[in-house]
Amino acid sequence: MLLETRALTADYGQFRALFGVDVTVAAGECVAVIGANGAGKSTLMRSIAGVLANAPGMVLHRGEPIGALSSAAVMKRGIAMVPEGRRLFPSLTVEENLLIGGEARKVAGPWSLASVYALFPVLKERRHHPGTALSGGQQQMVAIGRALMSNPELLLCDEISLGLAPVVIRDVYAALPKIRAAGAAVVVVEQDIGKALSVADRVYCMMEGRVTLSARASEVTREAVHAAYFGAAA
């Protein structure tokens, strides 16, 4: 198993955001995490990525405990996150933002400036522009490209379609099969259930910090999703 959480809990001060969450991600797999606002999806991503510290054994990477590692240490192991809100460096150009990802983890792999530009051609055209001068969709492509530049074996995508136009969402989601084909597993946190299920092998639904549904994406029914979201059948 590439990644596993075991009875994962997470707190913000006195507020508990996750309650005993168990998820797994196999090598090369795409896993979707769905749920309403406040369900704990982003907290789960932050815990896996090392942004939130946990007990070591609550997060395992290839069987080794990483729950207490820093985000930098987690990235060096090959786990990269595309954060909600993109968080580009406003003083840097598109290309400089991308290069930062490569500096964070210097390993050989399929992703380089050339391959990121092949994945998102518009970024090559605008590579000398400030990253934050781009449209929201193009900024999201930069954020994905920056994470890919570290050549991760696991890419965590937190709300990558949030606030984007449908045509841009289509282009962003079209990149995910190509990312998987290059060898990375992907976790997609998403509120758009249809989009999430269209690319995922398996899906978890979360509600109030707990997993309420775990299933193959191809086997999920509307009734099961409704019950997982709201705690009652339609």
Side-chain angles (χ1 to χ4, degrees), residues 68-221:
L69 295 184
S70 68
S71 57
V74 170
M75 174 172 274
K76 289 184 183 299
R77 292 186 63 99
I79 300 172
M81 183 164 71
V82 182
E84 181 181 351
R86 301 177 283 273
R87 300 184 187 176
L88 303 184
F89 295 97
S91 63
L92 302 182
T93 66
V94 166
E95 190 157 295
E96 289 168 339
N97 269 281
L98 293 174
L99 288 171
I100 287 218
E103 289 296 315
R105 182 176 185 248
K106 296 182 179 180
V107 296
W111 296 105
S112 62
L113 279 177
S115 53
V116 169
Y117 287 150
L119 183 67
F120 298 123
V122 68
L123 299 187
K124 184 174 183 179
E125 299 170 10
R126 309 206 65 185
R127 63 188 182 276
H128 299 308
H129 289 66
T132 52
L134 275 59
S135 69
Q138 291 166 354
Q139 288 185 42
Q140 190 63 278
M141 293 173 188
V142 176
I144 294 171
R146 180 179 61 189
L148 290 175
M149 286 287 288
S150 69
N151 279 293
E153 60 179 14
L154 175 60
L155 183 68
L156 308 174
C157 299
D158 192 3
E159 301 283 13
I160 56 173
S161 70
L162 189 65
L164 302 184
V167 65
V168 178
I169 295 173
R170 181 196 64 197
D171 291 343
V172 168
Y173 266 82
L176 294 183
K178 300 174 185 177
I179 293 169
R180 292 183 66 190
V186 180
V187 177
V188 178
V189 166
E190 184 59 85
Q191 291 189 49
D192 185 327
I193 299 170
K195 279 295 181 187
L197 297 182
S198 72
V199 297
D201 300 304
R202 291 187 301 112
V203 60
Y204 292 95
C205 184
M206 296 185 66
M207 182 175 68
E208 297 179 350
R210 295 175 171 84
V211 172
T212 52
L213 173 69
S214 173
R216 300 287 305 175
S218 60
E219 299 171 354
V220 173
T221 65

